[in-house]
Amino acid sequence: MGDQVHIPEYEQEFELVAAEELVTGPAFWYLHLCWWHEEPEAVRERFGADTADVDALYEQLADEEHWPVFRVPFGRGHTAVVAHRNFPEDSGIDYFVRHPEWGRLGHLGQMDGHDRGPGLSWRELTAIAAAVPDGAEGLTDPAERLLMLLPMLGDIDMPHDAAAVVAQALTDCGTPQEHAQDVAGKILDNSFWQLPSWVVRDGSPIPVCGSDHSPRALPLALGITSDQAGDLADALSGGPRT
């Protein structure tokens, strides 16, 4: 894995390490996205993942002393972060947004047996995936960015071509083309979350989630300044607010 990552607002008992180099092919996406109940060997085959690669990668992702962190930088200086929280008896994956000027994190959700989410609408997911800043550290491939944050998706207003968009991202990341549509459908049809609506309420320009189980039932990064909230809203929507 890569260099140490400093996120002072996050758990610092263990070393956080940039792990984007682990996103190298189907083995990673099989581990990151396969959450439905089906015979594992058949699913690995559809992802195009090799069993030995999966086993080796799992060991790296579960490192208890060097926690893997994946960064997805997007508009106006924000970064979505996926952190593998590898406490010996409390492991999971945390999803959050940070900005160096906030002094706090904006929590999207977590996957750990006490799952909390969803953390992103479809519009936000696709806007972040496409908004690759020049020279930023982290994932820069739009397909990898979309798939990295896909577990946080939950939205009642999905477009008709959502499965095709996810299937294309899977193909771009190494899933055999003949299986990509099926895998995309499985991912979207077996979401961890109820499918809520997303609305902008009075008092904040940042959309909130209709699910009480989501951290985003409150405005993301609650307590940041109004200007910072405006910048975040713009970044999440993929452009200036109208």
Side-chain angles (χ1 to χ4, degrees):
M1 288 188 283
D3 296 333
Q4 187 171 358
V5 175
H6 297 282
I7 305 178
E9 311 93 334
Y10 190 64
E11 173 59 52
Q12 291 294 296
E13 181 178 346
F14 296 88
E15 184 178 352
L16 306 178
V17 180
E20 289 87 11
E21 66 186 44
L22 300 182
V23 183
T24 56
F28 179 86
W29 300 115
Y30 166 74
L31 289 169
H32 191 64
L33 296 173
C34 179
W35 50 64
W36 63 92
H37 296 292
E38 194 174 343
E39 201 282 311
E41 187 60 39
V43 181
R44 278 196 298 268
E45 244 178 60
R46 289 207 292 277
F47 271 92
D50 178 80
T51 302
D53 291 343
V54 168
D55 292 343
L57 185 56
Y58 177 83
E59 293 299 319
Q60 292 179 281
L61 293 174
D63 190 325
E64 293 179 357
E65 295 185 1
H66 306 91
W67 292 5
V69 170
F70 302 89
R71 297 159 297 171
V72 182
F74 62 108
R76 298 178 181 258
H78 302 89
T79 302
V81 180
V82 180
H84 283 248
R85 173 178 20 92
N86 292 333
F87 285 120
E89 296 184 6
D90 181 26
S91 62
I93 304 177
D94 295 327
Y95 294 77
F96 53 87
V97 173
R98 74 179 299 264
H99 191 285
E101 296 179 1
W102 286 354
R104 70 189 68 208
L105 300 177
H107 292 281
L108 299 175
Q110 64 191 52
M111 313 285 282
D112 58 6
H114 303 283
D115 306 326
R116 296 205 63 206
L120 293 169
S121 68
W122 176 261
R123 180 184 183 185
E124 292 169 343
L125 172 66
T126 53
I128 291 172
V132 184
D134 292 336
E137 294 183 329
L139 294 176
T140 58
D141 180 84
E144 293 176 348
R145 292 160 61 90
L146 185 142
L147 296 182
M148 181 61 67
L149 298 177
L150 186 57
M152 284 294 102
L153 172 66
D155 194 339
I156 192 65
D157 295 319
M158 298 279 284
H160 72 278
D161 64 342
V165 172
V166 174
Q168 184 60 59
L170 287 164
T171 300
D172 292 345
C173 292
T175 298
Q177 189 169 10
E178 63 268 25
H179 298 309
Q181 192 72 34
D182 175 67
V183 172
K186 290 282 190 181
I187 292 170
L188 295 178
D189 290 345
N190 291 274
S191 172
F192 281 97
W193 323 115
Q194 59 178 285
L195 301 180
S197 58
W198 294 80
V199 297
V200 175
R201 296 176 181 158
D202 292 341
S204 174
I206 302 168
V208 294
C209 179
S211 170
D212 292 337
H213 195 62
S214 170
R216 291 198 59 193
L218 298 173
L220 186 62
L222 187 65
I224 59 178
T225 69
S226 59
D227 285 345
Q228 290 169 339
D231 285 346
L232 177 57
D234 285 350
L236 288 171
S237 70
R241 301 181 309 286
T242 56

